[in-house]
Structures are given as C-alpha cells and as structure tokens.
Amino acid sequence: MQGLIDGFQAFLDIGPTVILPVVIFIIGIGFGQKPGKAFRSGLTIGVAFVGINLVVGLLVDNLGPAAEAMVERLGVELNVIDIGWPAASTISWGIPIAAFIIPLALLVNVIMLVTKTTKTMNVDIWNFWHFAFMAGMVYVMSGSIIQGLIAAILFEIACLKIADWTAPILEREFDLPGVSVATGSTASYAPLGIPLVWLVQRIPGIKKLHADPDTIQKRFGVFGESIFIGLFLGIALGILAGYPFGEVFNIGITMAAVMLLMPRMVKILMEGLMPISQSARDLLQRRFGAKDIYIGLDAAVAIGHPAVIATALILVPITVALAIVLPGNSVLPFGDLATIPFIVAFIVGAARGNIIHSVIVGTVMIALTLYMATDVAQIHTQMGEAAQFDMPEGTSLISSLDQGGNMINYVIYKFFSLFN
C-alpha cells in the first residue's frame, strides 16, 4: 500500500505543467486528432499553465507575507493555525486511503460521461487531492475505507454537477467556452454563493451599487484600467501591512502585473484548448449524441478576470478582521489568504463582475468558512498526525480555509459523522 501511495505521489510531484500536456495529448489522440496537432495543443496548454503558475506564484509570494504582516501588526492570537492548501494537500496524500483516489475518480468520471450524468471531462488530476482529503477525513473519523471512498465519490459527483452548472458562467463572463471547473476549493462555494448574489442584487439600495472593471474604467479613464486597479489595491494592502515606502509600491506594482498578465496567460491556454474541445464535442456528439462537452480545468483559469483579483484583494483584510471579531472563531487565517481568488471566482461570475456585490457575498462566505474550519480543526489535526505531518511550531491544532472550511466537504463530513 505504501509503495502505491509513493508511486502516486511521485506522479503528482511532476506537477500539472507536465501532467496536463501529457493528458491533453492522450485525449487529443483518443478524439481522433493527428499526433502533431494533439502534441501542439498539449504543449501550448502546458506553456500556458507555466505562465499561469508563475503569475499565481507572484500573487501568493507577495500576498502571503503582506497578510502575515497584517496579522502580526494587529496582534491577532487564535489557537488554530490555517496551514494553507499546500500543507493540506500533502496531508491528504499521506493518508493510506489516498492510493485509491486517482483511479477511482477517473472511473467515476468516465461512468458519468457514458451515462450522460455529467458533461465535464475532468483532466484536472492535480486537484484530485480535494477528493483524497474528503476520503481521509471520513476514514480517520470512522476507520472505514469504504465510508472514506464513498465520501470521496459523493464529493466528486457534487463537483462535477456544479462544474456543469457553472460552465455557462465561465463562457459568458470569463470568455472560456467549452471549459468547466470542478476544483473542490472553487466549486464548493457556488451552491450558496450564487443564490446569495441573486439575493443581494434584489435588496433595495444595494442592488443599485455597481462597480465592475468596465464601469470603473469609463468613470476614471486610464486610471480605471485593471493595471491601475491592481496598483491601487496593492498599495492599500502594503499600507495595511505596515510596509515601508519602497515595499508598499513594490507590492502595488506586483499586483498590477498580476492584473495585466493573468488574462493574457488564459488566452494562450484557450488557444491550445479549443482544438481539443472541438474534437471532443464532435466525437461525443457523433457516438453518444452528446450536444456539449466541457473540459474540466484547474480553477486558475477563472481567476484571470480583473474583478476576481480585485475582489480577493479587498477580502484579504476583511478576512483578518472577521477572524478577530467573529465570536466562536478560533482559526488564524494565514496559509489560505492567497487562495481567496479561487474561493470567489464563481461568486464574481454570478455577479457579472460587480465587485461591490462580490465583496458583500464573499464576506458572508468567508465568515461561514472560518466557522467550518474551526469546527473541523480537531479532525484536521488528527489527519495531520496520521500523515506524520510536522505541526507548525507553537500550535497543537491546525485547519485550512481551502478544505477545512470547504462547504461541500463539511456537509459530507457531518453526514458521515451521524453514523460514527
């Protein structure tokens, strides 16, 4: 069993920038493309993801320290540490049950495609760690491999159905036709986040508040462009973090770069994806009568919209403030503050880029996330111990906003806790 786990870990350690092009090439060949065309599509997508990951890394590497400085400056002391998704994913693959997740998840997806219960062909294997985390959570609680695997299947089915439901939003608002997102950390916020957007947009007074990148640019001219929005929000974060003058402008320019570069990387991605998507549609329609087929990709493709980044940057200090003032919260937000763009992507899409409405709904969702992450801290910590995870110095309890505060993960976990 350990050898199998080590094998899967070695495969995943290659990283999505290598795994995804290989998977896309195989899919292209399977859908009847010529090897040269399939290879070009896979290579283009791989190059695009290198660029996307560089920009995401730029965001995380600068936003993380700024958020940490903000927390330290405010003197926040809470007893559960948010370890962030990288540590949570490491824990998920360290649980013995994780060895079954990749083949099981692929099998479930194929069955759902054949039975026409999903339109999403999920090639985002890298993010199967969310399903592994769900399985590990229930396994550690119950001691049952069967219950853990059932929980993972339920989580995957929910993510695939949400991916189908939200694919039109990706096409309409983010210009991503033929793409869906089944990433657990993004899909899980749609079932409640999207209805909340609908509600906010019907509240008298609030519904008239409107600010999206286009209207901001019309009102402020050149200073309303996304690059300047990134600059101003970055400077504001630097000031809140207590940075010296030079570092304030450094983070401002970095956020401006994120705003400018991310959409361009996504365009390169779509250049490689469209031929594969069209071939998949043609073949599946010809053989199975499927009218639409979506390629399930990493949620990183959805954070290229300037309104997503702007909403996330505004929510960083709000998240820290919520952690301080919410009664009953014990989680110190830290590791996953830089993943807020992934949390709010579908919320921003549903709000049609309206940053004000997105921030309002995002605030509610983050508050709920903190409470859920607090509630599962004990089992999250037990998972870390089972995976022999090195606990952060000076803490005895860990959790994460990404998966510990994940709404669908939480509901499934609570369901199984009724029987254990």
Side-chain angles (χ1 to χ4, degrees):
M1 179 69 74
Q2 187 58 45
L4 192 59
I5 293 173
D6 291 341
F8 278 123
Q9 189 60 56
F11 172 70
L12 292 169
D13 285 343
I14 297 173
T17 54
V18 175
I19 294 173
L20 190 58
V22 172
V23 172
I24 291 295
F25 172 73
I26 294 171
I27 290 174
I29 295 295
F31 284 136
Q33 283 193 324
K34 293 181 179 179
K37 189 175 182 180
F39 183 74
R40 187 186 188 283
S41 291
L43 184 60
T44 302
I45 290 171
V47 169
F49 260 95
V50 169
I52 288 171
N53 287 336
L54 285 172
V55 179
V56 170
L58 193 65
L59 174 68
V60 172
D61 292 345
N62 285 272
L63 191 55
E68 181 182 6
M70 200 182 307
V71 169
E72 291 178 355
R73 192 181 185 199
L74 293 172
V76 181
E77 292 185 7
L78 298 165
N79 66 335
V80 179
I81 300 298
D82 164 28
I83 58 173
W85 74 263
S89 66
T90 300
I91 289 172
S92 69
W93 292 120
I95 306 293
I97 196 174
F100 301 101
I101 294 302
I102 291 180
L104 180 64
L106 291 172
L107 177 62
V108 169
N109 194 185
V110 169
I111 291 172
M112 291 184 68
L113 284 168
V114 171
T115 57
K116 298 181 182 179
T117 49
T118 187
K119 298 178 182 179
T120 294
M121 182 192 310
N122 191 13
V123 300
D124 186 21
I125 298 174
W126 173 261
N127 277 306
F128 283 8
W129 77 265
H130 292 97
F131 311 145
F133 189 97
M134 180 77 265
M137 209 173 188
V138 173
Y139 170 72
V140 169
M141 174 182 63
S142 65
S144 169
I145 291 178
I146 299 300
Q147 288 189 41
L149 294 178
I150 292 173
I153 291 172
L154 291 174
F155 192 15
E156 181 185 9
I157 291 172
C159 288
L160 288 172
K161 298 303 288 185
I162 292 167
D164 294 343
W165 175 43
T166 53
I169 293 177
L170 292 178
E171 180 172 3
R172 184 189 71 223
E173 299 301 325
F174 301 142
D175 196 22
L176 295 171
V179 172
S180 64
V181 168
T183 307
S185 55
T186 299
S188 293
Y189 292 89
L192 181 59
I194 292 175
L196 282 177
V197 169
W198 181 89
L199 179 63
V200 165
Q201 292 183 334
R202 281 155 182 78
I203 298 175
I206 294 178
K207 67 180 182 181
K208 295 182 179 180
L209 299 175
H210 191 84
D212 61 32
D214 290 337
T215 57
I216 291 173
Q217 185 171 353
K218 287 178 182 177
R219 175 169 293 187
F220 296 101
V222 66
F223 292 105
E225 294 179 8
S226 60
I227 190 172
F228 283 99
I229 294 173
L231 174 68
F232 298 144
L233 290 175
I235 288 174
L237 281 177
I239 293 171
L240 289 173
Y243 280 177
F245 181 82
E247 291 186 30
V248 166
F249 278 91
N250 181 63
I251 192 172
I253 293 174
T254 300
M255 293 304 109
V258 170
M259 285 283 208
L260 181 66
L261 294 175
M262 183 62 83
R264 300 190 180 189
M265 295 302 104
V266 173
K267 285 182 180 178
I268 296 174
L269 175 76
M270 293 307 300
E271 180 186 330
L273 184 64
M274 287 310 297
I276 295 286
S277 180
Q278 189 58 50
S279 296
R281 281 191 179 127
D282 292 344
L283 181 67
L284 291 175
Q285 186 171 4
R286 190 166 61 249
R287 292 194 177 180
F288 303 107
K291 294 183 179 179
D292 294 305
I293 185 71
Y294 303 125
I295 305 298
L297 295 178
D298 189 306
V301 300
I303 70 170
H305 197 288
V308 174
I309 301 295
T311 299
L313 293 178
I314 294 169
L315 282 171
V316 169
I318 291 176
T319 301
V320 175
L322 286 173
I324 298 170
V325 302
L326 285 177
N329 172 63
S330 299
V331 175
L332 175 63
F334 175 58
D336 274 332
L337 283 171
T339 65
I340 292 177
F342 297 87
I343 291 173
V344 301
F346 283 142
I347 293 171
V348 174
R352 295 182 177 268
N354 189 324
I355 297 171
I356 296 175
H357 293 167
S358 299
V359 169
I360 293 171
V361 174
T363 300
V364 175
M365 298 302 295
I366 292 292
L368 294 173
T369 293
L370 287 169
Y371 278 129
M372 289 184 287
T374 296
D375 191 39
V376 303
Q378 191 66 50
I379 191 70
H380 204 309
T381 304
Q382 291 174 16
M383 287 178 64
E385 292 169 349
Q388 299 181 336
F389 175 73
D390 292 331
M391 296 291 177
E393 187 176 346
T395 185
S396 58
L397 287 173
I398 59 173
S399 192
S400 60
L401 301 185
D402 183 307
Q403 198 63 18
N406 183 297
M407 188 162 295
I408 293 179
N409 179 88
Y410 183 78
V411 170
I412 295 174
Y413 165 71
K414 282 299 186 181
F415 172 77
F416 279 91
S417 69
L418 296 175
F419 308 102
N420 294 279

